[in-house]
Amino acid sequence: MKINPNNFIWSIVNLLRKAEIELPEDVKSALIRAETIEENQVAKSQLQAILKNIELAKNHGIPMCQDTGIMIFFVELGTEFHPGFDLEAAIKEAVILATAEIPLRPNAVNPLTRQNSGDNTGIGIPDINWKLVPGNQLKITAAPKGAGSENMSALHMFNPKEIEHIPNFVLETVVNAGGMPCPPLMIGVGIGGSFDAAARLAKEALLEPLYTPMNSFEEEILEAVNALGIGCMGLGGSITALAVHVKTAYCHTASLPVAINIQCWANRHASVVFGGEE
Ligand code: SF4
């Protein structure tokens, strides 16, 4: 399957535009539901402000938050999909264009000198996660991530016999975060794999649709998180998180890596699919 590189680049610019401006329906619905059931009046007013913010961003075509995030992509590349050009270079080009066009805040800096590239690119950025899948389609998900919630994330290499400490690790991470990651949160938990794989699992868990039923382990953690009373924007209330999603992978018999990726209410992501027909 061949695609025009220029059309591809503009599709990715538009994908980023959608991700930055329009919150996915499942996230929006969960926020609407939270506003309906929250009884704390301060938290309720904050949820109303968030919903108004979402509406204004969509109506005016502007990003929903001033922190437009660091550019992260998840790519599922069909083994029979052959675009005929350098996909990675094209995605990078799209990020540069999107930064100027949407516009996006230039957030990418050298980690040591703190020098800003000015266009949201640099070594390792955009962060593109490749997965080879069967078939002749290419699916790209853009998931820009703000620093406020990313900075509150955590990873710990547990001793395997400490498995029952995992829920407490989530609670401690949420308590330490307080209002800083702009709750209500979505909490991605990665258990297993290796040091880095656990973090990737936690991030992937944030892409799970919020209508995906939680298992009893996830439900129990969510209930405990909401019992903390941190509430919307940390101002108190019964809804600190909207969902907890856990993803697992087999790990070394002597290891138990656990990563927690905290996501603010602005759980931005959007996907596009290329190809698929003969
Ligand atoms: S944590 Fe989320 S909502 Fe808060 S400033 Fe950062 S990106 Fe925006």
Side-chain angles (χ1 to χ4, degrees):
M1 165 85 200
K2 293 263 187 293
I3 41 177
N4 177 294
N6 204 41
N7 291 349
F8 174 81
I9 288 169
W10 281 102
S11 296
I12 301 303
V13 171
N14 288 331
L15 179 69
L16 281 169
R17 194 189 306 277
K18 183 166 190 226
E20 294 282 355
I21 290 169
E22 248 181 86
L23 210 52
E25 262 323 301
D26 60 312
V27 181
K28 197 172 146 196
S29 299
L31 286 164
I32 291 170
R33 185 168 173 274
E35 192 277 329
T36 310
I37 60 180
E38 179 59 80
E39 289 178 356
N40 177 305
Q41 289 310 305
V42 177
K44 206 174 182 66
S45 72
Q46 291 301 307
L47 284 160
Q48 285 162 357
I50 287 172
L51 291 170
K52 186 74 185 165
N53 183 121
I54 293 166
E55 186 190 327
L56 287 171
K58 189 172 175 189
N59 291 349
H60 293 273
I62 51 174
M64 66 190 82
C65 182
Q66 84 287 343
D67 182 355
T68 49
I70 200 92
M71 298 303 127
I72 301 174
F73 294 89
F74 293 88
V75 180
E76 290 177 26
L77 176 61
T79 49
E80 293 158 42
F81 186 95
H82 306 292
F85 60 91
D86 182 340
L87 280 176
E88 187 164 335
I91 292 172
K92 199 166 193 173
E93 182 62 31
V95 167
I96 294 169
L97 272 170
T99 301
E101 288 281 327
I102 296 174
L104 304 176
R105 192 172 78 180
N107 283 328
V109 302
N110 178 301
L112 299 174
T113 64
R114 312 307 293 179
Q115 191 175 353
N116 196 314
S117 66
D119 60 15
N120 278 313
T121 69
I123 299 168
I125 291 293
D127 175 15
I128 307 174
N129 300 276
W130 300 92
K131 191 185 275 181
L132 274 181
V133 295
N136 62 353
Q137 281 193 340
L138 169 67
K139 180 180 178 188
I140 302 187
T141 300
K145 187 76 161 68
S149 58
E150 193 76 347
N151 288 351
M152 297 296 117
S153 302
L155 189 148
H156 190 75
M157 301 298 288
F158 281 93
N159 183 308
K161 68 181 181 209
E162 298 172 316
I163 197 162
E164 73 282 1
H165 293 182
I166 294 173
N168 262 347
F169 179 45
V170 179
L171 289 183
E172 276 167 26
T173 304
V174 173
V175 167
N176 289 341
M180 283 195 279
C182 299
L185 309 173
M186 278 128 279
I187 303 171
V189 183
I191 304 177
S194 56
F195 181 80
D196 52 316
R200 193 52 62 188
L201 286 171
K203 190 163 280 335
E204 284 173 8
L206 294 176
L207 299 177
E208 286 283 317
L210 293 193
Y211 46 75
T212 308
M214 283 179 276
N215 59 36
S216 57
F217 183 67
E218 295 164 327
E219 289 272 15
E220 275 169 35
I221 297 175
L222 179 63
E223 206 176 303
V225 164
N226 283 333
L228 294 169
I230 293 169
C232 184
M233 304 308 277
L235 296 169
S238 61
I239 297 166
T240 300
L242 302 173
V244 175
H245 284 139
V246 176
K247 278 184 92 103
T248 60
Y250 271 42
C251 59
H252 193 290
T253 183
S255 287
L256 179 56
V258 180
I260 300 165
N261 201 193
I262 300 284
Q263 172 64 56
C264 61
W265 66 263
N267 189 356
R268 296 164 285 197
H269 52 271
S271 300
V272 64
V273 175
F274 300 90
E277 355 41 64
E278 286 302 311

